[in-house]
Amino acid sequence: MLILHIANKNYSSWSLRPWVLLSELAIPFEERLTPFGGAPFQSFSPTGKVPCLVDGEVVVWESLAIAEYLAERHAGVWPADAAARAWARSAAAEMHAGFFALRNACPMSCGLRVRPHAFAPALEADLTRLDALWREGLARFGGPFLAGPAFTAADAFFAPVAFRIQTYGLPLGEAAAAYASRLLALPSMQRWQAAALAETWRDPAHEDETRQAGVLLEDRRAPAA
Ligand SMILES: N[C@@H](CCC(=O)N[C@@H](CS)C(=O)NCC(=O)O)C(=O)O
């Protein structure tokens, strides 16, 4: 049985990527959640970071490497059509290696609703690129997912962005906003969100990041332990 090490569902955007991919593709796995500030991640992950996938003797770290490891064993991780597959891989890699302003200015915290202090030019540029990328994929491959009719790793890599859009009320065009809503409505995303809201852990570093991002409008999480 595959073991997927993750951290707090409220905060851990990198953990969400392989988790939602495994869940949407119905690949059986065991989830092991270690909260930030708990046992050191070094005890199971070579980089001391999550996610980390363990398959018997094989350890795979880095979310993109985990997606590729799964793609070697399971159909559907990437689209079957070669052009769609190339596009999906490019989009996932772009997310993996970019969108720094969006990631820094709008840290994931599923249970919060925040009004951003400002939309810096770098954040505006990331949102413009995100909108164009999503519009292109949806138009070119016909939706409802980014690279066609089925959920693939490209969607998994943008799943945390859907939570960021929800938390910060980020403005997007109609097609991109509808796609974000579709991601949020997926059963696996609903399960992740429900578990995130039930968490009673609070990690000071992550709490600071969201405090710096804007004005807190609402905290829907269970009270802190
Ligand atoms: N590029 C890595 C990023 C992993 C990452 O930064 N994970 C965060 C949690 S969302 C982490 O483990 N942080 C712990 C730390 O930096 O000590 C991936 O794709 O898996």
Side-chain angles (χ1 to χ4, degrees), residues 7 11-15 17 36 41-42 47-51 61-64 66 96 157 206:
Y11 308 119
S12 187
S13 58
W14 294 104
S15 298
R17 293 166 168 88
F36 291 105
F41 296 165
Q42 279 82 359
T47 53
K49 294 186 178 196
V50 290
W61 64 99
E62 285 288 328
S63 47
L64 201 48
I66 293 172
H96 191 81
F157 272 73
H206 285 91

PDB file of all heavy atoms in Angstrom, residues 7 11-15 17 36 41-42 47-51 61-64 66 96 157 206, ligand 1:
ATOM      1  N   ALA A   7       1.179  17.179   5.663  1.00  0.00           N
ATOM      2  CA  ALA A   7       1.076  17.996   6.882  1.00  0.00           C
ATOM      3  C   ALA A   7      -0.351  18.539   6.984  1.00  0.00           C
ATOM      4  O   ALA A   7      -1.245  18.081   6.263  1.00  0.00           O
ATOM      5  CB  ALA A   7       2.114  19.112   6.853  1.00  0.00           C
ATOM      6  N   TYR A  11      -3.088  24.182   5.965  1.00  0.00           N
ATOM      7  CA  TYR A  11      -2.002  25.008   5.420  1.00  0.00           C
ATOM      8  C   TYR A  11      -1.236  24.379   4.256  1.00  0.00           C
ATOM      9  O   TYR A  11      -0.640  25.097   3.449  1.00  0.00           O
ATOM     10  CB  TYR A  11      -0.926  25.262   6.481  1.00  0.00           C
ATOM     11  CG  TYR A  11      -1.340  25.797   7.808  1.00  0.00           C
ATOM     12  CD1 TYR A  11      -1.107  25.071   8.975  1.00  0.00           C
ATOM     13  CD2 TYR A  11      -1.917  27.068   7.926  1.00  0.00           C
ATOM     14  CE1 TYR A  11      -1.432  25.570  10.224  1.00  0.00           C
ATOM     15  CE2 TYR A  11      -2.253  27.573   9.171  1.00  0.00           C
ATOM     16  CZ  TYR A  11      -2.004  26.819  10.334  1.00  0.00           C
ATOM     17  OH  TYR A  11      -2.323  27.318  11.552  1.00  0.00           O
ATOM     18  N   SER A  12      -1.143  23.052   4.206  1.00  0.00           N
ATOM     19  CA  SER A  12      -0.100  22.438   3.371  1.00  0.00           C
ATOM     20  C   SER A  12      -0.531  22.276   1.913  1.00  0.00           C
ATOM     21  O   SER A  12      -1.047  21.243   1.490  1.00  0.00           O
ATOM     22  CB  SER A  12       0.353  21.090   3.939  1.00  0.00           C
ATOM     23  OG  SER A  12       1.465  20.632   3.190  1.00  0.00           O
ATOM     24  N   SER A  13      -0.220  23.304   1.143  1.00  0.00           N
ATOM     25  CA  SER A  13      -0.621  23.318  -0.271  1.00  0.00           C
ATOM     26  C   SER A  13       0.130  22.249  -1.071  1.00  0.00           C
ATOM     27  O   SER A  13      -0.444  21.621  -1.961  1.00  0.00           O
ATOM     28  CB  SER A  13      -0.362  24.696  -0.870  1.00  0.00           C
ATOM     29  OG  SER A  13       0.991  25.045  -0.739  1.00  0.00           O
ATOM     30  N   TRP A  14       1.405  22.030  -0.749  1.00  0.00           N
ATOM     31  CA  TRP A  14       2.151  21.004  -1.487  1.00  0.00           C
ATOM     32  C   TRP A  14       1.585  19.618  -1.206  1.00  0.00           C
ATOM     33  O   TRP A  14       1.506  18.779  -2.099  1.00  0.00           O
ATOM     34  CB  TRP A  14       3.640  21.053  -1.138  1.00  0.00           C
ATOM     35  CG  TRP A  14       4.309  22.316  -1.593  1.00  0.00           C
ATOM     36  CD1 TRP A  14       4.672  23.380  -0.813  1.00  0.00           C
ATOM     37  CD2 TRP A  14       4.672  22.674  -2.938  1.00  0.00           C
ATOM     38  NE1 TRP A  14       5.239  24.361  -1.590  1.00  0.00           N
ATOM     39  CE2 TRP A  14       5.258  23.960  -2.894  1.00  0.00           C
ATOM     40  CE3 TRP A  14       4.561  22.033  -4.176  1.00  0.00           C
ATOM     41  CZ2 TRP A  14       5.732  24.607  -4.037  1.00  0.00           C
ATOM     42  CZ3 TRP A  14       5.035  22.685  -5.315  1.00  0.00           C
ATOM     43  CH2 TRP A  14       5.612  23.946  -5.237  1.00  0.00           C
ATOM     44  N   SER A  15       1.167  19.381   0.024  1.00  0.00           N
ATOM     45  CA  SER A  15       0.592  18.071   0.371  1.00  0.00           C
ATOM     46  C   SER A  15      -0.677  17.784  -0.423  1.00  0.00           C
ATOM     47  O   SER A  15      -0.960  16.645  -0.796  1.00  0.00           O
ATOM     48  CB  SER A  15       0.223  18.021   1.861  1.00  0.00           C
ATOM     49  OG  SER A  15       1.346  18.172   2.685  1.00  0.00           O
ATOM     50  N   ARG A  17      -1.508  18.488  -3.431  1.00  0.00           N
ATOM     51  CA  ARG A  17      -1.364  18.089  -4.841  1.00  0.00           C
ATOM     52  C   ARG A  17      -1.430  16.562  -5.025  1.00  0.00           C
ATOM     53  O   ARG A  17      -2.325  16.071  -5.716  1.00  0.00           O
ATOM     54  CB  ARG A  17      -0.085  18.676  -5.418  1.00  0.00           C
ATOM     55  CG  ARG A  17      -0.106  20.198  -5.534  1.00  0.00           C
ATOM     56  CD  ARG A  17       1.296  20.727  -5.781  1.00  0.00           C
ATOM     57  NE  ARG A  17       1.328  22.130  -6.185  1.00  0.00           N
ATOM     58  CZ  ARG A  17       1.382  23.159  -5.351  1.00  0.00           C
ATOM     59  NH1 ARG A  17       1.402  22.960  -4.061  1.00  0.00           N
ATOM     60  NH2 ARG A  17       1.421  24.395  -5.808  1.00  0.00           N
ATOM     61  N   PHE A  36       2.643  20.453  11.459  1.00  0.00           N
ATOM     62  CA  PHE A  36       3.796  21.348  11.631  1.00  0.00           C
ATOM     63  C   PHE A  36       4.050  21.517  13.133  1.00  0.00           C
ATOM     64  O   PHE A  36       3.108  21.690  13.916  1.00  0.00           O
ATOM     65  CB  PHE A  36       3.510  22.720  11.006  1.00  0.00           C
ATOM     66  CG  PHE A  36       3.440  22.679   9.502  1.00  0.00           C
ATOM     67  CD1 PHE A  36       2.222  22.753   8.850  1.00  0.00           C
ATOM     68  CD2 PHE A  36       4.603  22.569   8.744  1.00  0.00           C
ATOM     69  CE1 PHE A  36       2.151  22.717   7.454  1.00  0.00           C
ATOM     70  CE2 PHE A  36       4.543  22.528   7.344  1.00  0.00           C
ATOM     71  CZ  PHE A  36       3.316  22.600   6.705  1.00  0.00           C
ATOM     72  N   PHE A  41       9.846  16.208  10.120  1.00  0.00           N
ATOM     73  CA  PHE A  41       9.575  15.565   8.840  1.00  0.00           C
ATOM     74  C   PHE A  41      10.792  14.773   8.352  1.00  0.00           C
ATOM     75  O   PHE A  41      10.666  13.868   7.533  1.00  0.00           O
ATOM     76  CB  PHE A  41       9.187  16.605   7.776  1.00  0.00           C
ATOM     77  CG  PHE A  41       7.906  17.364   8.049  1.00  0.00           C
ATOM     78  CD1 PHE A  41       7.611  18.518   7.340  1.00  0.00           C
ATOM     79  CD2 PHE A  41       6.984  16.920   8.997  1.00  0.00           C
ATOM     80  CE1 PHE A  41       6.430  19.218   7.564  1.00  0.00           C
ATOM     81  CE2 PHE A  41       5.812  17.614   9.237  1.00  0.00           C
ATOM     82  CZ  PHE A  41       5.542  18.769   8.521  1.00  0.00           C
ATOM     83  N   GLN A  42      11.980  15.119   8.890  1.00  0.00           N
ATOM     84  CA  GLN A  42      13.206  14.391   8.505  1.00  0.00           C
ATOM     85  C   GLN A  42      13.108  12.908   8.850  1.00  0.00           C
ATOM     86  O   GLN A  42      13.825  12.096   8.275  1.00  0.00           O
ATOM     87  CB  GLN A  42      14.435  14.971   9.217  1.00  0.00           C
ATOM     88  CG  GLN A  42      15.000  16.219   8.577  1.00  0.00           C
ATOM     89  CD  GLN A  42      14.230  17.482   9.013  1.00  0.00           C
ATOM     90  OE1 GLN A  42      13.271  17.400   9.778  1.00  0.00           O
ATOM     91  NE2 GLN A  42      14.639  18.629   8.495  1.00  0.00           N
ATOM     92  N   THR A  47      14.173  15.414   2.454  1.00  0.00           N
ATOM     93  CA  THR A  47      14.345  16.871   2.450  1.00  0.00           C
ATOM     94  C   THR A  47      13.786  17.506   3.714  1.00  0.00           C
ATOM     95  O   THR A  47      13.898  18.717   3.903  1.00  0.00           O
ATOM     96  CB  THR A  47      13.590  17.500   1.251  1.00  0.00           C
ATOM     97  OG1 THR A  47      12.241  17.030   1.298  1.00  0.00           O
ATOM     98  CG2 THR A  47      14.230  17.115  -0.067  1.00  0.00           C
ATOM     99  N   GLY A  48      13.130  16.697   4.546  1.00  0.00           N
ATOM    100  CA  GLY A  48      12.454  17.266   5.705  1.00  0.00           C
ATOM    101  C   GLY A  48      11.210  18.040   5.287  1.00  0.00           C
ATOM    102  O   GLY A  48      10.731  18.903   6.013  1.00  0.00           O
ATOM    103  N   LYS A  49      10.689  17.717   4.097  1.00  0.00           N
ATOM    104  CA  LYS A  49       9.485  18.402   3.611  1.00  0.00           C
ATOM    105  C   LYS A  49       8.423  17.396   3.199  1.00  0.00           C
ATOM    106  O   LYS A  49       8.739  16.246   2.881  1.00  0.00           O
ATOM    107  CB  LYS A  49       9.825  19.297   2.416  1.00  0.00           C
ATOM    108  CG  LYS A  49      10.732  20.442   2.817  1.00  0.00           C
ATOM    109  CD  LYS A  49      10.960  21.419   1.706  1.00  0.00           C
ATOM    110  CE  LYS A  49      11.836  22.529   2.273  1.00  0.00           C
ATOM    111  NZ  LYS A  49      11.873  23.708   1.507  1.00  0.00           N
ATOM    112  N   VAL A  50       7.198  17.849   3.189  1.00  0.00           N
ATOM    113  CA  VAL A  50       6.085  17.051   2.683  1.00  0.00           C
ATOM    114  C   VAL A  50       5.581  17.708   1.412  1.00  0.00           C
ATOM    115  O   VAL A  50       5.749  18.924   1.238  1.00  0.00           O
ATOM    116  CB  VAL A  50       4.945  16.942   3.715  1.00  0.00           C
ATOM    117  CG1 VAL A  50       5.342  16.090   4.883  1.00  0.00           C
ATOM    118  CG2 VAL A  50       4.472  18.313   4.193  1.00  0.00           C
ATOM    119  N   PRO A  51       4.985  16.947   0.502  1.00  0.00           N
ATOM    120  CA  PRO A  51       4.620  15.534   0.610  1.00  0.00           C
ATOM    121  C   PRO A  51       5.817  14.629   0.362  1.00  0.00           C
ATOM    122  O   PRO A  51       6.798  15.010  -0.246  1.00  0.00           O
ATOM    123  CB  PRO A  51       3.597  15.379  -0.516  1.00  0.00           C
ATOM    124  CG  PRO A  51       4.071  16.350  -1.559  1.00  0.00           C
ATOM    125  CD  PRO A  51       4.584  17.533  -0.799  1.00  0.00           C
ATOM    126  N   TRP A  61      10.135  12.001  -3.065  1.00  0.00           N
ATOM    127  CA  TRP A  61       9.843  13.332  -2.538  1.00  0.00           C
ATOM    128  C   TRP A  61       9.683  14.282  -3.707  1.00  0.00           C
ATOM    129  O   TRP A  61       9.994  13.932  -4.842  1.00  0.00           O
ATOM    130  CB  TRP A  61      10.947  13.774  -1.566  1.00  0.00           C
ATOM    131  CG  TRP A  61      12.295  13.936  -2.189  1.00  0.00           C
ATOM    132  CD1 TRP A  61      12.868  15.102  -2.596  1.00  0.00           C
ATOM    133  CD2 TRP A  61      13.239  12.903  -2.475  1.00  0.00           C
ATOM    134  NE1 TRP A  61      14.102  14.860  -3.123  1.00  0.00           N
ATOM    135  CE2 TRP A  61      14.370  13.520  -3.059  1.00  0.00           C
ATOM    136  CE3 TRP A  61      13.255  11.510  -2.304  1.00  0.00           C
ATOM    137  CZ2 TRP A  61      15.485  12.807  -3.475  1.00  0.00           C
ATOM    138  CZ3 TRP A  61      14.376  10.796  -2.723  1.00  0.00           C
ATOM    139  CH2 TRP A  61      15.469  11.440  -3.288  1.00  0.00           C
ATOM    140  N   GLU A  62       9.209  15.484  -3.457  1.00  0.00           N
ATOM    141  CA  GLU A  62       8.880  16.490  -4.466  1.00  0.00           C
ATOM    142  C   GLU A  62       7.584  16.084  -5.187  1.00  0.00           C
ATOM    143  O   GLU A  62       7.502  15.026  -5.813  1.00  0.00           O
ATOM    144  CB  GLU A  62      10.003  16.703  -5.499  1.00  0.00           C
ATOM    145  CG  GLU A  62      11.183  17.496  -4.972  1.00  0.00           C
ATOM    146  CD  GLU A  62      10.850  18.984  -4.780  1.00  0.00           C
ATOM    147  OE1 GLU A  62      10.034  19.542  -5.520  1.00  0.00           O
ATOM    148  OE2 GLU A  62      11.425  19.573  -3.863  1.00  0.00           O
ATOM    149  N   SER A  63       6.613  16.970  -5.126  1.00  0.00           N
ATOM    150  CA  SER A  63       5.278  16.644  -5.648  1.00  0.00           C
ATOM    151  C   SER A  63       5.297  16.272  -7.140  1.00  0.00           C
ATOM    152  O   SER A  63       4.561  15.377  -7.563  1.00  0.00           O
ATOM    153  CB  SER A  63       4.312  17.796  -5.385  1.00  0.00           C
ATOM    154  OG  SER A  63       4.892  19.020  -5.742  1.00  0.00           O
ATOM    155  N   LEU A  64       6.152  16.942  -7.919  1.00  0.00           N
ATOM    156  CA  LEU A  64       6.190  16.628  -9.350  1.00  0.00           C
ATOM    157  C   LEU A  64       6.757  15.219  -9.579  1.00  0.00           C
ATOM    158  O   LEU A  64       6.267  14.471 -10.441  1.00  0.00           O
ATOM    159  CB  LEU A  64       7.035  17.680 -10.088  1.00  0.00           C
ATOM    160  CG  LEU A  64       6.839  17.849 -11.584  1.00  0.00           C
ATOM    161  CD1 LEU A  64       5.371  17.965 -11.985  1.00  0.00           C
ATOM    162  CD2 LEU A  64       7.604  19.083 -12.085  1.00  0.00           C
ATOM    163  N   ILE A  66       6.520  12.798  -7.485  1.00  0.00           N
ATOM    164  CA  ILE A  66       5.480  11.861  -7.029  1.00  0.00           C
ATOM    165  C   ILE A  66       4.463  11.641  -8.154  1.00  0.00           C
ATOM    166  O   ILE A  66       4.064  10.500  -8.439  1.00  0.00           O
ATOM    167  CB  ILE A  66       4.802  12.387  -5.737  1.00  0.00           C
ATOM    168  CG1 ILE A  66       5.814  12.389  -4.577  1.00  0.00           C
ATOM    169  CG2 ILE A  66       3.581  11.544  -5.386  1.00  0.00           C
ATOM    170  CD1 ILE A  66       5.314  13.069  -3.309  1.00  0.00           C
ATOM    171  N   HIS A  96       4.676  24.399 -10.464  1.00  0.00           N
ATOM    172  CA  HIS A  96       5.682  23.878  -9.524  1.00  0.00           C
ATOM    173  C   HIS A  96       6.829  24.866  -9.354  1.00  0.00           C
ATOM    174  O   HIS A  96       7.376  25.020  -8.266  1.00  0.00           O
ATOM    175  CB  HIS A  96       6.212  22.542 -10.058  1.00  0.00           C
ATOM    176  CG  HIS A  96       7.041  21.782  -9.085  1.00  0.00           C
ATOM    177  ND1 HIS A  96       6.485  21.010  -8.089  1.00  0.00           N
ATOM    178  CD2 HIS A  96       8.377  21.676  -8.938  1.00  0.00           C
ATOM    179  CE1 HIS A  96       7.450  20.451  -7.383  1.00  0.00           C
ATOM    180  NE2 HIS A  96       8.609  20.844  -7.873  1.00  0.00           N
ATOM    181  N   PHE A 157      -2.189  20.083  -9.530  1.00  0.00           N
ATOM    182  CA  PHE A 157      -1.195  21.097  -9.192  1.00  0.00           C
ATOM    183  C   PHE A 157      -1.818  22.466  -8.950  1.00  0.00           C
ATOM    184  O   PHE A 157      -1.236  23.298  -8.267  1.00  0.00           O
ATOM    185  CB  PHE A 157      -0.086  21.145 -10.254  1.00  0.00           C
ATOM    186  CG  PHE A 157       0.999  20.175  -9.913  1.00  0.00           C
ATOM    187  CD1 PHE A 157       0.794  18.806 -10.056  1.00  0.00           C
ATOM    188  CD2 PHE A 157       2.196  20.606  -9.375  1.00  0.00           C
ATOM    189  CE1 PHE A 157       1.759  17.896  -9.672  1.00  0.00           C
ATOM    190  CE2 PHE A 157       3.174  19.704  -8.990  1.00  0.00           C
ATOM    191  CZ  PHE A 157       2.958  18.348  -9.143  1.00  0.00           C
ATOM    192  N   HIS A 206       2.691  29.919   9.972  1.00  0.00           N
ATOM    193  CA  HIS A 206       1.633  30.039   8.953  1.00  0.00           C
ATOM    194  C   HIS A 206       0.583  31.086   9.352  1.00  0.00           C
ATOM    195  O   HIS A 206       0.066  31.813   8.500  1.00  0.00           O
ATOM    196  CB  HIS A 206       0.965  28.674   8.716  1.00  0.00           C
ATOM    197  CG  HIS A 206       1.807  27.722   7.918  1.00  0.00           C
ATOM    198  ND1 HIS A 206       2.682  26.845   8.505  1.00  0.00           N
ATOM    199  CD2 HIS A 206       1.920  27.529   6.587  1.00  0.00           C
ATOM    200  CE1 HIS A 206       3.296  26.142   7.561  1.00  0.00           C
ATOM    201  NE2 HIS A 206       2.855  26.536   6.393  1.00  0.00           N
TER     202      HIS A 206
HETATM  203  N1  LIG B   1       8.891  21.592  -3.932  1.00  0.00           N
HETATM  204  C1  LIG B   1       8.403  20.770  -2.848  1.00  0.00           C
HETATM  205  C2  LIG B   1       7.884  21.700  -1.766  1.00  0.00           C
HETATM  206  C3  LIG B   1       7.576  20.992  -0.466  1.00  0.00           C
HETATM  207  C4  LIG B   1       7.331  21.970   0.675  1.00  0.00           C
HETATM  208  O1  LIG B   1       7.854  23.088   0.714  1.00  0.00           O
HETATM  209  N2  LIG B   1       6.536  21.504   1.651  1.00  0.00           N
HETATM  210  C5  LIG B   1       6.283  22.280   2.847  1.00  0.00           C
HETATM  211  C6  LIG B   1       4.867  22.047   3.349  1.00  0.00           C
HETATM  212  S1  LIG B   1       3.616  22.686   2.311  1.00  0.00           S
HETATM  213  C7  LIG B   1       7.164  21.759   3.962  1.00  0.00           C
HETATM  214  O2  LIG B   1       7.324  20.571   4.122  1.00  0.00           O
HETATM  215  N3  LIG B   1       7.711  22.651   4.775  1.00  0.00           N
HETATM  216  C8  LIG B   1       8.468  22.256   5.905  1.00  0.00           C
HETATM  217  C9  LIG B   1       9.751  22.978   6.003  1.00  0.00           C
HETATM  218  O3  LIG B   1      10.094  23.737   5.072  1.00  0.00           O
HETATM  219  O4  LIG B   1      10.436  22.790   7.029  1.00  0.00           O
HETATM  220  C10 LIG B   1       7.353  19.784  -3.399  1.00  0.00           C
HETATM  221  O5  LIG B   1       6.926  19.978  -4.538  1.00  0.00           O
HETATM  222  O6  LIG B   1       6.992  18.790  -2.754  1.00  0.00           O
END
